[in-house]
Amino acid sequence: MRKRFLGAMLLALGIGLFGGWGSAQANSAPESTQSMLHVCWLKDSHVNPAACEVVRMPEAFEPAKAVVTSSVDFPDFQVVALDLREVTEEGYPIFNVQSIYYKDLLRATQPIIIVMRDSESFPRNGIAVRDSLGRERIFGIAISGEDGSLLLSEVERN
């Protein structure tokens, strides 16, 4: 138990120092799915909230509203709840993933607002999409330790 806690604490420190989590495979994918997805705070966006679909996470923290946009259309879009299951010996977190919202197609012209739950040290909010190769890709939404902006980083499913 102590080893697991220590691993989680070291990982949290790494997230704060380097602004990310997840494995190297997130950066080595043949396509840049992550660069086609964007997330920012609603207050920092240029969208009309009245024109956006709103997804409320369980145990949502009302002021924590994020806007998800995309530069391309993505099939099988989901808003997901992430719960840390374990941290591998290599220091990578593995998450339980629960779908909260599903949409057949996330259109580049239709941003979605997510009323998020508090993230604490690990991401608890995320999105999932199907890439051009048909693979499901899951991205956690976290707050940058540097400037407070929102970051997307690929995570591993349980």
Side-chain angles (χ1 to χ4, degrees), residues 51-114:
C52 296
E53 203 165 345
V54 177
V55 177
R56 178 175 289 281
M57 299 295 285
E59 305 165 22
F61 183 59
E62 187 59 36
K65 294 181 181 177
V67 176
V68 176
T69 58
S70 170
S71 57
V72 299
D73 294 349
F74 276 106
D76 297 329
F77 174 80
Q78 296 177 68
V79 174
V80 296
L82 302 173
D83 288 304
L84 182 66
R85 184 176 150 248
E86 67 180 296
V87 177
T88 66
E89 288 184 16
E90 296 81 24
Y92 298 117
I94 305 293
F95 292 90
N96 291 324
V97 179
Q98 177 188 5
S99 181
I100 302 299
Y101 168 86
Y102 175 84
K103 186 175 185 116
D104 290 337
L105 186 67
L106 172 66
R107 295 202 179 276
T109 58
Q110 298 174 333
I112 290 185
I113 296 173
I114 302 172

